[in-house]
Amino acid sequence: MNRLPVMLLALWAAGCGPSGPMDDPKVGEGVLPQATSARPSFSCTGGIGITLIGGGNASACEERDYSGLGATGSARIRNANGSNVAGGVESPTLTLRAYVHATSDTQEHADALLQKVTVHTAGNDFYATGPQSQSPDAWWVDFDLDLPTRTSLASSAINGDVYAELLVGRLSAEATNGSVTLLGLAGSVTATSVNGSVDVDLSGASSWSGGGVNAMAQNGGVTFHADADYSGHFVFSADNGSVTSDFGGCDPQPATQPQRCDFVTGSGGATLRGSSGNGNVTLSQDTPGLPLP
């Protein structure tokens, strides 16, 4: 997946990124679903990776580990270029693995650029800063975070994908140029993508536990995946696309107008909202096991 150069990084590092649980550290109530982890992984030799526009032919990468970070009830990841993965674990502390990548015209220059990238962890506010990317130099960071299951999280990426699983609390997941994938969550969840899809995996639960979900995509589809016995209240809308449900409840509508659908599966439950400006909104009766692209 191509990525744009670093944008407005100074403002981002100064705290001008999206607001979220860091502004309200109260952890939401909910019961963790019995979901199976589908967590993707990063590495310096393969797996998930990105290529920045203008990057050189020589590359360098190192994994930086930060363990034993004190739990505060909330955490935030702010990423300009790179993807974020976060998952709840049975641990009283947080562990961050940052995969720092750099490219340049020569190996010496790539190695030197790598050392100029700083990963910040103070207050469980995770982000990276470094030189302005300018051809042939480019850098990015992929964040992989373990955190206590009952932790609120705000995870955002400008040019990258966002994945979160097995968490109970207040969750904000935002991607500007990338997709959002969520699995095994409970509490109050907001997921948004400007240019990409949003997938919410509800498998392993018979209903939503907590405040609910609001999933939105401007240019991309929104899909909820649920088991056959799932109970919930779904509210779907698509300005330029379709709204469909494998569970029934969405009647055909004229293709010339925005699509709307408000329906209940099983015995109902918390409200789960899905909306798209340019894309389809779907409730699918399957289990995706979706990795990041």
Side-chain angles (χ1 to χ4, degrees), residues 89-106:
V89 296
E90 295 300 324
S91 172
T93 61
L94 289 77
T95 298
L96 176 71
R97 291 169 293 278
Y99 295 83
V100 184
H101 300 260
T103 63
S104 190
D105 53 347
T106 68

Side-chain angles (χ1 to χ4, degrees), residues 189-192 198 200 213-217 222 224 272-276 281:
V189 173
T190 300
T192 60
V198 177
V200 182
V213 178
N214 191 4
M216 301 165 285
V222 174
F224 289 84
L272 310 176
R273 300 181 183 274
S275 61
S276 175
V281 182

Side-chain angles (χ1 to χ4, degrees), residues 66-72 91-96 121-122 124 126 145-146 148:
Y66 307 85
S67 60
L69 302 172
T72 60
S91 172
T93 61
L94 289 77
T95 298
L96 176 71
T121 64
N124 294 335
F126 305 113
L145 178 65
D146 293 334

Side-chain angles (χ1 to χ4, degrees), residues 11-12 27 31 45 50 53 59-60 69 71 79 84 94 115 117 174 192 197 245 271 280 289:
L11 289 175
W12 194 259
V27 176
V31 178
T45 58
I50 64 174
I53 295 173
S59 63
L69 302 172
N79 205 344
N84 305 340
L94 289 77
Q115 302 310 312
V117 178
E174 303 180 18
T192 60
S197 62
S245 167
T271 300
N280 301 326

Side-chain angles (χ1 to χ4, degrees), residues 35-41 48 85 163-166 181-184 201 203 287-292:
T36 301
S37 173
R39 184 172 179 166
S41 61
I48 304 169
V85 168
Y163 179 96
E165 68 171 29
L166 305 181
T181 303
L182 307 176
L183 178 149
D201 188 347
S203 62
T287 302
L290 293 169
L292 292 173

Side-chain angles (χ1 to χ4, degrees), residues 229-240:
D229 62 348
Y230 196 84
S231 294
H233 173 211
F234 294 87
V235 180
F236 288 172
S237 64
D239 292 337
N240 295 291

